[in-house]
Amino acid sequence: MKTASITQSKNSLSHLLRAVKGGKSVLIFDRNVPVARLEPVAAGSLPDDARLRALERQGLIRRPLKAGSPLAALKTPRPRPKRGTSVVAALLTDRSEALR
């Protein structure tokens, strides 16, 4: 595991993130006391991933395209919610859940 002080982390964050993308963990110290750890994120392990998939299935959102030009996204038809589904209600529910 790679280690770095807070100052080193601030000055070389890009370098540390490259190491994390390569699969290494970085332990950050503040005056020789460990305070944080940078680790790679496993696919599908984000807490909001299930919620985003559910909203996508309902037709309320569309996640960004994985590859291709940004113009391709403009040419694709926008998502249409199912009949009887309120986009505004889904947005307000999502925001109220985020505040909890």
Side-chain angles (χ1 to χ4, degrees):
M1 178 182 296
K2 189 173 181 121
T3 61
S5 69
I6 291 179
T7 303
Q8 290 168 332
S9 301
K10 288 191 315 186
N11 293 337
S12 62
L13 182 60
S14 296
H15 177 72
L16 294 175
L17 289 177
R18 276 193 297 276
V20 170
K21 284 180 183 178
K24 294 183 180 181
S25 295
V26 179
L27 191 58
I28 300 174
F29 287 85
D30 181 17
R31 296 182 186 98
N32 295 325
V33 176
V35 293
R37 183 181 317 149
L38 296 175
E39 294 181 332
V41 176
S45 68
L46 296 175
D48 292 339
D49 199 44
R51 185 177 62 167
L52 290 176
R53 279 196 308 270
L55 291 172
E56 192 173 31
R57 278 193 304 272
Q58 293 173 16
L60 298 175
I61 66 164
R62 182 182 313 146
R63 294 201 243 186
L65 301 173
K66 301 255 187 234
S69 72
L71 293 177
L74 295 175
K75 293 178 183 176
T76 58
R78 62 188 170 104
R80 301 273 183 199
K82 293 179 183 176
R83 252 179 226 266
T85 304
S86 169
V87 176
V88 174
L91 175 68
L92 293 175
T93 301
D94 188 55
R95 287 184 178 176
S96 68
E97 289 174 359
L99 294 175
R100 291 181 195 167

